[in-house]
Amino acid sequence: MLEQRIFVNARFHTLWAHQPEAEAVLTRGERIVAMGSRAELAAHSTGAIETVDLDGATVIPGLTDAHIHTANFAREIAALDLRGTPDLADALERVRIYSEGVPTGAWVFGGRWDFNAWAVPVQPSRHDLDAVTGGRPAALPSIDGHTIWANSAALAAVGIDASTPNPVGGEIVRDAHGEPTGILRETAGDRLVDIMHSAEAGDLASQLLEAQRRLLAVGLTGVHDFDGEDALVAYRGLRNTGLLDLRVHKAIPVTALDQAIDEGRCTGDGDAWLRTGPVKLFSDGALGSHSCHMSAPFPGGDGNTGIEVMPYGELRELVRRAAGAGIGVATHAIGDRANELVLDAYSDLATNPLDQPAGMSGTPSRLRHRIEHAQHLRPGDIARMAGLGVVPSMQPTHCTTDIPLASTLLAGRELASYAWRSLLAAGAVPAFGSDAPVEHPDPMHGIHAAVTRQNGSHEPDGGWQPGECLTVTEAISAFTAGAAYASGEEAHKGRLRPGMLADFTALAADPFTAAASELRDISVLSTTVGGVVRYRRNQ
C-alpha cells in the first residue's frame, strides 16, 4: 500500500486558481490526494497515515531551476574559487595558495574570474598563471564560462601553440608575435573543457550527491540540467540505487545528438525522476566575454560583434535533425543577432514542417523549443518568440549581475534586455533558472531579482529598467509552472492540486506579503519531493 502523509501547520499557496490556499495537504505515494483543512482531509485517508508538521511555514509549489549545470556546480564545490577578486594580483594569490595543495602534475581546476570587475579590466595571460602554479597545468573558466584562462602547461597538454588555427566558433587570443596568450574564447577551449569534465576532476556521482544536498537546501525540487553525458550516467546510477532525491530533466549535448538519435531517445522519455530533455545548441557566447553575437559592434573600435559560435546553416540543419527525431531544441542565445538567427531557424521549422513517423513520442508538433538566456532582443522579436511558442528560458540574476556591463557595452541601442514583462505581455511562457555555477542556485535570489531588478545590495535605486519587473506571483510561477511547461510536465507539477506530484518548498516567511527587499533572504525550512521530506533545516 502506498504511504499516506498529511502535511500540516503551514499555509499553502497552491498557484491553482480553483483553490489558491490550503491549510493542509494529503499525499498518497508521490501524489497529492486532497487539500483543505486537517479535519476535512481526515475523511479522505484510509489506513495508516503519518502527520508531517511543517513548522508554520509558507509553502509554495516545488521550485525548479530551468537552466543549471549541476555537474559543473558539483565539481566546483571544492575547486579554486576566484569570484569576487578585486584585481589580478588577488586572483593570482588565490591561485598560488590553492595550487600548493594540488599534487605535482595534477590539474588546477576552478576559476570563475571576472576581469570586467577588476581594478584594471585587462584579461590575464598564461605567463601570469605560470608564475604561481608550479608547473601544474591550470584551466580556469571565466565567470560566464565562455572564456578559459590556461597556463603554458595546459596549452601544451592539448597541443595549442602559435601554429594552431582558430576553430569554427572560437578564438585563440594571441600576442603581437602570434603566440597564444592563454585566453581561449568559446570553442577554442573545448579540448580543455573535455579534461575539466573527465575523471581528472574527481568522482562525479559522489560530487553530485553533495550538490543535490545543497540544491534541496535552497528549496529546489527539480532541475533542467545542461551538462554532459557523464552527468546522465551519474544520474542514472543515483536513480538505480535510490539516491536521487531531485527530479532531473536532462538535456543532450550537441556532441551526443547522433548517439541519442541512434538510441531512440526522445524529449519527454523517462519517468518522473529522470527524463530526456532537449538538445543544447550554442548560437553565440556571453556579454562578459564580449562574445555574444550583436547586430552592432561593441565599443572599442575593433569592429567586434561577438562570435557566431554555430553558423546559421548548421544551426538550421541541427534544429531540423533533432526535431525530426522527436528531440526538442534549446539554443543558447544572448546577443540580439544570435536571438534573431535562432528564431529564424525555429520559424523555418514551423513553416517547413518535417515528415514524421506516426507514433513517435516526441513529435515535432508537441515539442517545445527554447532559447536559453534570451537576454538582449530586438523589440520586434518579442512578439515573434511568443507567436512561435518558443520558451524564453531566462535567469533573473544574470540581469542584476550584468547591469554595469549592459549599461556601458550596450548603451544607446534599441534593445529589449531581460524583457520578462514584455515577453509575458506578448503571451510567452518564461521559465526561470540560475545558470549555476555562473550564479548562485538559490531561487529566492532569482525571485528577488525578477521583482526588483536590483542586485544583492539593492542597487540601483528603483531597479534597472523597472518597466520589466514582475510581480511575486509571476516570478514564482516562472520557477514552477513555467519550468514545468518548458519540460512538458505542466499536467504533473508546477502547481499544488489533487493528482499533481507532491513537490513543495516550505519557506520561513511569506513571499507574497514580505517587502520586496526581503525576498532574497527568505530561507527554506524544508523541501518535499514525491511526498517525502528530502531536506529539513537543522537536521
Side-chain angles (χ1 to χ4, degrees):
M1 178 175 290
L2 296 175
E3 292 181 328
Q4 294 185 112
R5 296 183 177 89
I6 184 170
F7 292 81
V8 300
N9 189 18
R11 182 183 185 185
F12 291 84
H13 291 283
T14 68
L15 299 186
W16 183 35
H18 179 72
Q19 188 177 355
E21 294 188 13
E23 297 176 11
V25 166
L26 176 66
T27 67
R28 186 173 297 131
E30 293 194 23
R31 301 271 173 177
I32 296 171
V33 175
M35 304 186 305
S37 69
R38 186 171 183 176
E40 289 170 338
L41 299 189
H44 288 271
S45 60
T46 56
I49 186 168
E50 175 188 354
T51 299
V52 181
D53 190 315
L54 292 180
D55 305 314
T58 295
V59 180
I60 59 176
L63 297 163
T64 293
D65 191 316
H67 186 110
I68 187 171
H69 302 267
T70 57
N72 284 349
F73 175 71
R75 290 183 176 110
E76 292 185 17
I77 289 172
L80 170 66
D81 187 359
L82 298 181
R83 292 175 177 84
T85 51
D87 51 39
L88 174 60
D90 187 75
L92 290 172
E93 179 61 11
R94 289 198 201 180
V95 175
R96 183 190 64 78
I97 293 171
Y98 183 87
S99 297
E100 289 176 351
V102 174
T104 300
W107 283 78
V108 177
F109 293 131
R112 301 298 169 181
W113 49 279
D114 184 3
F115 84 97
N116 294 291
W118 287 350
V120 180
V122 176
Q123 289 191 330
S125 74
R126 62 186 170 99
H127 303 297
D128 298 324
L129 269 188
D130 291 346
V132 294
T133 47
R136 301 169 183 85
L140 310 177
S142 59
I143 185 66
D144 57 27
H146 288 260
T147 299
I148 294 178
W149 177 20
N151 66 2
S152 297
L155 294 176
V158 294
I160 293 178
D161 57 27
S163 67
T164 307
N166 287 336
V168 174
E171 179 189 10
I172 301 168
V173 178
R174 305 169 197 271
D175 62 22
H177 304 289
E179 294 290 335
T181 67
I183 294 298
L184 307 174
R185 302 173 72 203
E186 304 303 336
T187 60
D190 283 356
R191 282 178 284 177
L192 285 175
V193 170
D194 289 342
I195 296 173
M196 291 158 55
H197 293 175
S198 72
E200 293 277 359
D203 179 63
L204 181 55
S206 298
Q207 293 165 335
L208 281 173
L209 280 175
E210 172 59 20
Q212 175 178 256
R213 185 189 69 80
R214 294 181 181 222
L215 297 176
L216 289 166
V218 295
L220 290 170
T221 61
V223 294
H224 297 184
D225 178 76
F226 285 90
D227 276 328
E229 293 288 276
D230 53 346
L232 174 61
V233 171
Y235 277 125
R236 283 173 173 167
L238 295 179
R239 177 77 175 111
N240 291 337
T241 54
L243 296 175
L244 184 59
D245 289 341
L246 278 170
R247 303 194 190 277
V248 180
H249 188 63
K250 183 71 193 73
I252 301 165
V254 65
T255 52
L257 177 59
D258 288 344
Q259 176 185 340
I261 292 173
D262 289 344
E263 293 173 354
R265 281 188 248 168
C266 292
T267 297
D269 287 350
D271 59 22
W273 289 94
L274 182 57
R275 289 165 54 93
T276 299
V279 64
K280 173 73 177 296
L281 307 181
F282 281 88
S283 179
D284 69 344
L287 182 63
S289 289
H290 300 196
S291 58
C292 59
H293 192 191
M294 304 299 298
S295 56
F298 287 100
D302 60 358
N304 174 35
T305 57
I307 294 177
E308 186 178 8
V309 171
M310 183 175 288
Y312 176 73
E314 181 181 356
L315 172 67
R316 175 184 175 276
E317 291 309 312
L318 283 172
V319 167
R320 297 183 67 81
R321 174 163 168 73
I327 296 173
V329 181
T331 308
H332 167 115
I334 289 180
D336 65 322
R337 179 60 175 154
N339 278 282
E340 180 184 39
L341 289 172
V342 175
L343 290 174
D344 285 349
Y346 292 164
S347 177
D348 173 79
L349 180 66
T351 56
N352 299 286
L354 298 155
D355 293 330
Q356 181 69 32
M360 182 173 285
S361 62
T363 56
S365 62
R366 294 205 299 267
L367 295 174
R368 288 176 183 156
H369 304 302
R370 308 162 47 145
I371 293 183
E372 304 304 309
H373 312 306
Q375 288 181 8
H376 308 291
L377 304 172
R378 297 181 180 184
D381 281 337
I382 290 175
R384 194 157 72 114
M385 186 179 298
L388 287 168
V390 173
V391 174
S393 171
M394 306 176 79
Q395 301 73 45
T397 49
H398 278 337
C399 170
T400 51
T401 296
D402 285 351
I403 289 171
L405 283 176
S407 298
T408 54
L409 296 179
L410 305 181
R413 305 182 191 220
E414 188 179 357
L415 294 172
S417 293
Y418 316 97
W420 315 314
R421 163 66 55 212
S422 296
L423 285 161
L424 269 177
V429 182
F432 280 173
S434 69
D435 202 17
V438 176
E439 305 280 357
H440 194 284
D442 189 336
M444 295 310 301
H445 292 190
I447 290 167
H448 169 265
V451 171
T452 67
R453 291 176 76 93
Q454 295 176 322
N455 60 25
S457 300
H458 308 293
E459 296 172 340
D461 186 42
W464 186 74
Q465 298 184 0
E468 294 293 346
C469 289
L470 299 183
T471 66
V472 171
T473 298
E474 290 165 340
I476 291 176
S477 293
F479 276 103
T480 55
Y485 179 84
S487 60
E489 298 176 276
E490 68 273 20
H492 302 284
K493 60 183 188 179
R495 293 182 173 83
L496 302 180
R497 61 184 174 93
M500 297 286 248
L501 290 167
D503 299 350
F504 36 85
T505 303
L507 302 172
D510 190 336
F512 296 95
T513 59
S517 60
E518 298 172 350
L519 290 169
R520 182 182 174 91
D521 297 320
I522 293 177
S523 60
V524 173
L525 296 181
S526 64
T527 305
T528 296
V529 190
V532 177
V533 177
R534 312 284 175 167
Y535 163 81
R536 191 182 286 273
R537 193 169 73 179
N538 301 325
Q539 286 188 6

